[in-house]
Amino acid sequence: MLGLMQEQPLLISGLIEFAARHHRDAAIVSRRVEGDIHRYTYADAARRARQVARALDRAKLGFSDRVATLAWNGYRHFELYFGITGSGRVIHTINPRLAPEQVAWIANHAEDQVLCFDLTFLPIVKGVWQHCKTVKHWIALCDADKLPADTGVSGLRSYEAWIGDEPGDYEWPQFDERSAAALCYTSGTTGNPKGALYSHRSTLLHAYAAALPDGMGISAREAILPVVPMFHVNAWGIPYSAAMTGAKLVFPGAALDGASVYELMEKEKVTLSAGVPTVWLALLNHMKQHGLKFSTMKSTVIGGSACPPAMIKTFRDDFGVTVLHAWGMTEMSPLGTVCQLKNKQLTLPPDEQLAVLAKQGRAIYGVEMRIVDASGKELPWDGKTSGDLQVKGPWIISGYFKGEGGDPLVDGWFPTGDVGTIDPDGFLQITDRTKDVIKSGGEWISSIDVENIAMAHPAVAMAACIAVPHPKWDERPLLVVVKKPGTNPTREELLGFFEGKVAKWQIPDDVAFVESIPLGATGKMQKIKLREQFKSYVLPSPT
Amino acid sequence: MLGLMQEQPLLISGLIEFAARHHRDAAIVSRRVEGDIHRYTYADAARRARQVARALDRAKLGFSDRVATLAWNGYRHFELYFGITGSGRVIHTINPRLAPEQVAWIANHAEDQVLCFDLTFLPIVKGVWQHCKTVKHWIALCDADKLPADTGVSGLRSYEAWIGDEPGDYEWPQFDERSAAALCYTSGTTGNPKGALYSHRSTLLHAYAAALPDGMGISAREAILPVVPMFHVNAWGIPYSAAMTGAKLVFPGAALDGASVYELMEKEKVTLSAGVPTVWLALLNHMKQHGLKFSTMKSTVIGGSACPPAMIKTFRDDFGVTVLHAWGMTEMSPLGTVCQLKNKQLTLPPDEQLAVLAKQGRAIYGVEMRIVDASGKELPWDGKTSGDLQVKGPWIISGYFKGEGGDPLVDGWFPTGDVGTIDPDGFLQITDRTKDVIKSGGEWISSIDVENIAMAHPAVAMAACIAVPHPKWDERPLLVVVKKPGTNPTREELLGFFEGKVAKWQIPDDVAFVESIPLGATGKMQKIKLREQFKSYVLPSPT
């Protein structure tokens, strides 16, 4: 027997219409590529999203056709998020930090029909447009009078001219909530990128869970500045959760340096932010150098890669900001866990709380997780035993776009490629990527543990721990370090810093000082490149 | 094209298993009918819910068969919430405050197969069991040795004996998320009660929305004492949202007097509560009389009927507790709106904030609402124009159980029977029930507005404003008042209190002092009975 409840599909169009109706004057503030500050409201955004939908209808795009974006966090990108998906098309957010040939490859693979880009990325477009075979419409996200002449890009139009004449009303279509809504390619460190294809249902359920008090805590009381890019896994779902709740949005555009982000946070009274650790390093350095404090910031979500405990402590003790350490993946929409204390932990001493907050946190409802050994046997949640992390749930992929890579699931679970422990309270701690773990004489050394300790040293700006081949132990850890400006730590000093913090055999064998560590398109350290660079490195003889 | 996300139905069994796994030691504390305090954990609750499921399998109940409860808020009722629904049956929560003949009527109408009851309600059961034709199993929610002898109820068993021998493991079945999960009858002031039949999908979506920071704000950091009964619209969904987030639960059992509730709140460090205004009156009176303060309480959800602004102010100014004024209906699972300030209102002066908080609040995502005039035309959201309130969404009924009452929807919208205004910020204010509004000479007088003013008078313990027939104006308002102990206000004093607060013609024509005002099964004032009582009342001649 079925319940007698209204059958109403969970559709993304509902989010923007709800925001326009219930939070019509809530502000959306954007730093534009042009450098100025643009402000409007959810009611404006909804009207322009409807214009986008009409422009796509006029362009005769079919249901589920892909529309690509190559854009920063800004109001036009926000409108596209809703206009494309709400009208039944699929938004394909392209990461502009990819190499041009990769951009062309995925645009062709996705069979994008329209590509909308910020003028910052005109050089990329100029380089690839002739190779993008399916793209019929190139749209520059700018006013008509800002459109450069002689770009050579055939049929290039400005966004404002493209949508400007469309009426602002639109009847959003109703369809199966499992329909495709958004396409996002994994960065693909090996092989070709693979596409995660989100549905309206998965997006809405994720939006609910991400907004929960134990998720990111999103409400109409917050002003949110997502530093995490909208070209990277839906900016962790913030645009959708914000529309669901009418939160004020502050988009930083291309200016992600510490000074620009800080200025926007203060001017717009931002309360909540989100981004990868490297962005926060830049912000904290800027604030320390200039003796600055936050006026309104309460918390920031940090994910993408593990947040060093020292950074969590600095945010809390020096700046009064709670770090919400989070973990997720492109294949997971992306949110899996967020680190928020439980009731019983609220009275713990600050240092013990910090030990909890350094973990990646607890699953939000909708994500099931487990750790397994090499044979697939489930391992205990004791906070010590580490195993391969697997997940399942309604916003986790069942396969990749076009079936590539076959069925990625194992017994219905998605293997994340992460290695971690789960404690009895359900707090996940990622100890490594399966491929980054250092296998020393049959024992595993967590590269992340080593990096976290190194990052706590006052002279270390950035640190990566990688495996290098070793004749006796198969692999041994090498610490690759970028020094902080004005410091000059020695190898001995850094290695001595590990004493008493880890077992002797987990201390790196050597330190290599470098000018910079390569970062990938999403701000993560590219250890694969480092391993290549140091593959012939000769470690000192064992003592 | 469909997205490539895992297809996983939203099922209630997932909630309790999630809680057992991720919040295994989070506490569930119950004041038992026996008077003592019982404590256990989500892991225990899940194990016993599985035992319930097995007992139902053993009793050969089919999919969607109804299992009734007649019980207070307590751990056994909580287990039944999950064991019954998770195994594919439908929980039918019966309101024990109904007249025995009504209990029998709805048990027969629902075709209940099993009926589980607290021993408090044995007298009801003794009176009705021979009239409940479909009930095969009568289960008393007690230990085997507490089962009274010679009840006369054929085949009566204790709950502990019934589930005690069942193993604690169980494979929860997977099925269509739209399947029926719970049945709740409206109190039915006129005609027979009608059943709202919730689904697993509606329950899960409601659980997400109710837990949002702009909903009730439920997380693993909270300790929640639901005063609102589990026999009344799922205790506003708190059991489900609590399991979703691992919040500590504190169940008050039958002891809902001010002293008992206060004691439990303090002892168990309760942070959040929920209930109807009349319960809070008793609690506040107790606290004032004894000069008590809260140590941990932060907020309480008040709904069921409008919360007098004076109570919201008292909670805030005298006790440091934020009232979350809420509105909903049995037909809405029940949550429609919760009153939480928006970002821009956080800096308003306290009195202006109070004016906002006195409204019923903003829709949580998933509820669409509108106000319409008599012809069905949508009315503006200006905070002044009042109209008939209509709602739609995935946890709002599409019809009543067994199709009774036909199709209740109008153009896809459910007419709530409430009259209200909506302001430009989306805040709903209920001004009356369609049937309670006083129609005086073509103008409408809101009975709730009149009652709110009367309740602010220091000598008024309870007040109801009802229409009495009037030869010239059709109807005129009569104020029915219960005096506070030790006070003796006069008619003139009370009517004078209205001067300057409403227009002259909205001031009641007279005051009738009574010993008590009849309350319905859900704690609401039964104005229908009052109107009957005062139908021949002769108002004083107009001045």
Side-chain angles (χ1 to χ4, degrees):
Chain A
M1 182 171 66
L2 297 187
L4 291 166
M5 296 282 111
Q6 294 181 15
E7 297 221 0
Q8 192 166 295
L10 301 171
L11 297 178
I12 292 173
S13 55
L15 291 172
I16 194 69
E17 289 301 332
F18 181 85
R21 202 167 156 91
H22 297 262
H23 304 279
R24 59 175 90 175
D25 66 353
I28 299 174
V29 180
S30 309
R31 191 192 292 277
R32 297 208 285 193
V33 173
E34 298 90 314
D36 62 339
I37 298 291
H38 173 273
R39 34 182 85 242
Y40 74 171
T41 66
Y42 275 105
D44 297 323
R47 181 174 40 76
R48 285 164 55 90
R50 293 183 213 111
Q51 289 177 296
V52 168
R54 281 184 176 270
L56 294 171
D57 284 0
R58 184 180 300 272
K60 305 228 181 302
L61 260 73
F63 190 70
S64 299
D65 275 354
R66 269 75 69 204
V67 178
T69 63
L70 201 56
W72 299 107
N73 291 5
Y75 66 104
R76 290 178 179 126
H77 205 175
F78 184 77
E79 297 156 12
L80 288 165
Y81 260 53
F82 295 91
I84 295 169
T85 58
S87 68
R89 285 84 185 198
V90 174
I91 184 169
H92 169 208
T93 48
I94 303 179
N95 188 333
R97 293 183 186 131
L98 293 173
E101 55 271 29
Q102 282 178 299
V103 171
W105 187 90
I106 65 172
N108 282 321
H109 189 267
E111 300 168 52
D112 297 326
Q113 306 286 305
V114 181
L115 195 151
C116 306
F117 62 96
D118 273 329
L119 279 181
T120 331
F121 305 122
L122 182 58
I124 300 179
V125 170
K126 278 182 176 173
V128 303
W129 76 275
Q130 283 174 307
H131 307 289
C132 296
K133 295 162 203 151
T134 58
V135 178
K136 300 190 196 84
H137 306 274
W138 295 90
I139 309 292
L141 295 168
C142 64
D143 292 328
D145 61 1
K146 294 279 180 5
L147 194 69
D150 309 321
T151 59
V153 179
S154 159
L156 179 64
R157 297 186 68 187
S158 80
Y159 177 76
E160 297 300 334
W162 185 53
I163 70 165
D165 292 336
E166 302 293 343
D169 63 325
Y170 185 74
E171 187 87 16
W172 297 105
Q174 299 289 301
F175 44 78
D176 188 334
E177 68 188 27
R178 296 170 304 160
S179 300
L183 179 61
C184 193
Y185 282 79
T186 60
S187 41
T189 42
T190 54
N192 283 326
K194 294 195 288 278
L197 189 64
Y198 314 117
S199 69
H200 286 259
R201 173 182 167 95
S202 70
T203 303
L204 269 281
L205 293 176
H206 184 274
Y208 270 124
L212 287 176
D214 272 343
M216 303 199 230
I218 294 179
S219 77
R221 290 184 297 290
E222 307 296 333
I224 311 174
L225 188 151
V227 177
V228 53
M230 293 170 72
F231 56 73
H232 176 56
V233 218
N234 315 316
W236 298 348
I238 289 173
Y240 300 121
S241 291
M244 175 175 266
T245 59
K248 176 177 175 177
L249 276 170
V250 182
F251 289 126
L256 301 180
D257 59 289
S260 302
V261 169
Y262 177 79
E263 186 203 52
L264 210 49
M265 284 177 162
E266 287 297 302
K267 278 203 178 148
E268 297 300 331
K269 298 185 167 45
V270 168
T271 59
L272 173 63
S273 190
V276 295
T278 40
V279 165
W280 302 123
L281 262 184
L283 177 69
L284 291 178
N285 285 340
H286 170 78
M287 291 179 70
K288 281 181 194 164
Q289 273 172 30
H290 297 85
L292 303 171
K293 295 281 171 198
F294 289 120
S295 315
T296 53
M297 274 287 288
K298 285 181 315 189
S299 44
T300 188
V301 185
I302 302 188
S305 52
C307 180
M311 184 183 281
I312 300 176
K313 189 170 159 64
T314 298
F315 261 116
R316 185 186 70 179
D317 297 347
D318 300 350
F319 296 102
V321 168
T322 302
V323 167
L324 305 176
H325 202 186
W327 169 83
M329 301 182 76
T330 300
E331 287 88 343
M332 297 175 67
S333 299
L335 216 54
T337 64
V338 181
C339 200
Q340 298 251 22
L341 298 178
K342 291 184 170 185
N343 186 289
K344 66 176 181 179
Q345 294 162 332
L346 294 176
T347 49
L348 288 179
D351 275 3
E352 290 180 40
Q353 288 186 337
L354 197 66
V356 177
L357 294 171
K359 300 187 175 191
Q360 270 77 7
R362 299 182 278 113
I364 48 176
Y365 188 77
V367 173
E368 290 179 71
M369 61 184 188
R370 67 176 190 180
I371 45 175
V372 297
D373 66 13
S375 72
K377 197 176 124 261
E378 192 169 351
L379 295 169
W381 289 21
D382 57 13
K384 291 175 203 132
T385 311
S386 76
D388 289 319
L389 180 65
Q390 301 185 332
V391 291
K392 68 177 175 183
W395 56 80
I396 296 164
I397 64 161
S398 57
Y400 289 100
F401 188 49
K402 296 186 171 176
E404 255 141 54
D407 179 4
L409 306 189
V410 178
D411 297 333
W413 294 81
F414 177 76
T416 63
D418 278 324
V419 176
T421 62
I422 304 175
D423 70 22
D425 289 318
F427 286 80
L428 168 72
Q429 182 153 32
I430 301 289
T431 52
D432 226 327
R433 290 290 294 167
T434 311
K435 59 187 194 310
D436 290 339
V437 77
I438 295 137
K439 295 173 185 101
S440 169
E443 296 283 351
W444 286 13
I445 299 171
S446 159
S447 64
I448 294 175
D449 282 354
V450 172
E451 288 156 11
N452 280 344
I453 293 169
M455 286 297 288
H457 190 282
V460 173
M462 200 178 294
C465 177
I466 57 167
V468 290
H470 189 279
K472 180 173 174 192
W473 303 106
D474 293 334
E475 294 179 353
R476 284 296 299 162
L478 168 69
L479 186 67
V480 183
V481 165
V482 179
K483 298 175 196 172
K484 274 203 188 149
T487 70
N488 201 14
T490 62
R491 169 189 185 277
E492 287 67 31
E493 185 185 336
L494 291 182
L495 295 182
F497 191 65
F498 283 85
E499 309 237 344
K501 298 194 174 83
V502 288
K504 268 215 175 313
W505 60 271
Q506 294 171 323
I507 298 177
D509 279 17
D510 205 1
V511 179
F513 293 100
V514 295
E515 286 302 307
S516 68
I517 288 173
L519 298 181
T522 59
K524 293 184 199 180
M525 295 192 292
Q526 291 193 298
K527 292 195 194 171
I528 199 167
K529 287 200 177 161
L530 278 184
R531 281 196 296 268
E532 180 60 26
Q533 187 179 335
F534 287 97
K535 70 179 173 189
S536 312
Y537 191 84
V538 180
L539 292 166
S541 303
T543 49
Chain B
M1 181 171 67
L2 298 186
L4 292 166
M5 296 281 112
Q6 294 180 15
E7 297 222 359
Q8 193 166 297
L10 301 171
L11 297 178
I12 291 172
S13 55
L15 291 172
I16 194 67
E17 289 301 332
F18 181 84
R21 202 167 155 90
H22 296 262
H23 304 279
R24 60 176 89 175
D25 66 354
I28 298 174
V29 180
S30 309
R31 191 192 292 277
R32 298 207 285 193
V33 173
E34 297 91 313
D36 62 339
I37 298 291
H38 173 272
R39 38 182 82 242
Y40 74 170
T41 66
Y42 276 104
D44 297 323
R47 179 173 40 76
R48 284 164 57 90
R50 293 183 214 112
Q51 289 178 296
V52 168
R54 282 184 175 270
L56 294 171
D57 284 1
R58 183 181 300 271
K60 304 225 182 301
L61 261 73
F63 190 71
S64 298
D65 275 355
R66 270 75 67 202
V67 178
T69 63
L70 201 56
W72 300 107
N73 291 6
Y75 67 104
R76 290 177 178 128
H77 205 175
F78 184 77
E79 297 156 12
L80 289 165
Y81 260 54
F82 295 91
I84 295 168
T85 58
S87 67
R89 284 84 184 197
V90 174
I91 184 169
H92 169 207
T93 49
I94 303 180
N95 188 334
R97 294 183 186 131
L98 293 172
E101 54 271 29
Q102 283 179 301
V103 170
W105 187 90
I106 63 171
N108 282 321
H109 190 266
E111 301 168 52
D112 296 326
Q113 306 288 304
V114 180
L115 195 150
C116 306
F117 63 97
D118 272 329
L119 280 181
T120 331
F121 306 122
L122 182 57
I124 301 178
V125 169
K126 279 181 174 173
V128 304
W129 76 275
Q130 284 175 306
H131 306 289
C132 296
K133 297 162 204 152
T134 57
V135 178
K136 299 189 197 84
H137 307 274
W138 296 90
I139 309 291
L141 295 168
C142 64
D143 290 329
D145 60 3
K146 295 277 182 4
L147 194 69
D150 310 321
T151 58
V153 179
S154 157
L156 179 64
R157 298 186 67 188
S158 79
Y159 178 76
E160 296 301 335
W162 184 53
I163 69 165
D165 292 337
E166 302 294 344
D169 63 324
Y170 185 73
E171 186 87 18
W172 298 105
Q174 299 289 300
F175 43 76
D176 188 334
E177 66 187 28
R178 296 169 305 159
S179 300
L183 178 62
C184 193
Y185 281 79
T186 59
S187 41
T189 44
T190 54
N192 282 327
K194 294 195 289 278
L197 189 63
Y198 313 116
S199 69
H200 286 258
R201 173 182 167 95
S202 70
T203 303
L204 269 280
L205 293 176
H206 183 275
Y208 271 124
L212 287 176
D214 273 344
M216 303 200 230
I218 294 178
S219 77
R221 290 184 296 291
E222 307 297 333
I224 312 175
L225 188 151
V227 177
V228 53
M230 291 170 72
F231 56 72
H232 175 56
V233 218
N234 314 317
W236 299 348
I238 289 172
Y240 300 121
S241 291
M244 175 174 267
T245 59
K248 176 178 175 177
L249 277 170
V250 183
F251 289 125
L256 300 181
D257 60 288
S260 302
V261 169
Y262 177 78
E263 186 203 54
L264 210 47
M265 283 177 163
E266 286 298 301
K267 277 202 179 149
E268 296 300 332
K269 299 186 166 46
V270 169
T271 59
L272 173 64
S273 190
V276 296
T278 41
V279 165
W280 302 124
L281 263 184
L283 177 70
L284 291 178
N285 285 340
H286 170 79
M287 290 179 70
K288 282 181 193 161
Q289 273 171 33
H290 297 84
L292 302 171
K293 295 281 171 199
F294 289 120
S295 315
T296 53
M297 274 286 289
K298 285 181 315 188
S299 44
T300 187
V301 185
I302 301 188
S305 52
C307 180
M311 184 183 282
I312 299 176
K313 189 170 159 63
T314 300
F315 260 116
R316 185 187 69 179
D317 297 348
D318 300 350
F319 296 101
V321 168
T322 302
V323 167
L324 305 177
H325 202 186
W327 168 84
M329 302 182 75
T330 301
E331 288 88 343
M332 298 174 66
S333 300
L335 217 53
T337 65
V338 181
C339 201
Q340 298 252 22
L341 298 179
K342 290 184 171 186
N343 185 290
K344 67 176 182 180
Q345 295 162 331
L346 295 177
T347 50
L348 289 179
D351 276 3
E352 290 180 40
Q353 287 186 338
L354 198 65
V356 177
L357 294 171
K359 300 187 175 191
Q360 270 77 6
R362 299 182 277 114
I364 48 175
Y365 189 77
V367 173
E368 290 179 71
M369 62 185 188
R370 67 176 190 180
I371 45 175
V372 298
D373 66 15
S375 71
K377 196 176 122 262
E378 190 168 354
L379 295 168
W381 289 21
D382 57 12
K384 292 175 202 133
T385 310
S386 75
D388 290 318
L389 181 64
Q390 301 184 332
V391 291
K392 68 177 174 183
W395 56 81
I396 296 164
I397 64 161
S398 58
Y400 290 100
F401 187 49
K402 296 185 172 176
E404 255 142 54
D407 179 4
L409 306 190
V410 178
D411 297 333
W413 293 81
F414 177 77
T416 62
D418 278 324
V419 176
T421 63
I422 304 176
D423 71 21
D425 289 318
F427 285 81
L428 168 72
Q429 181 153 32
I430 301 290
T431 52
D432 226 327
R433 289 291 294 167
T434 310
K435 60 186 193 310
D436 290 340
V437 79
I438 295 136
K439 296 176 184 97
S440 169
E443 296 283 351
W444 286 13
I445 298 171
S446 159
S447 66
I448 294 175
D449 282 354
V450 172
E451 288 157 11
N452 280 342
I453 293 168
M455 287 296 288
H457 190 282
V460 172
M462 201 178 291
C465 177
I466 57 167
V468 291
H470 189 279
K472 181 171 174 194
W473 303 107
D474 294 333
E475 295 180 352
R476 284 295 298 161
L478 168 69
L479 186 66
V480 182
V481 165
V482 179
K483 297 175 197 172
K484 273 201 189 151
T487 70
N488 200 13
T490 63
R491 169 188 184 278
E492 287 66 32
E493 187 185 335
L494 290 183
L495 294 182
F497 190 64
F498 283 86
E499 309 241 342
K501 297 195 175 81
V502 289
K504 268 217 176 307
W505 60 271
Q506 294 172 322
I507 298 177
D509 279 16
D510 206 1
V511 180
F513 293 99
V514 295
E515 287 302 307
S516 68
I517 289 172
L519 298 182
T522 58
K524 293 184 200 182
M525 296 192 292
Q526 290 192 298
K527 292 195 193 170
I528 199 166
K529 286 198 178 162
L530 277 184
R531 280 196 297 266
E532 180 62 26
Q533 187 180 335
F534 288 98
K535 70 180 173 191
S536 311
Y537 191 83
V538 180
L539 290 167
S541 304
T543 48

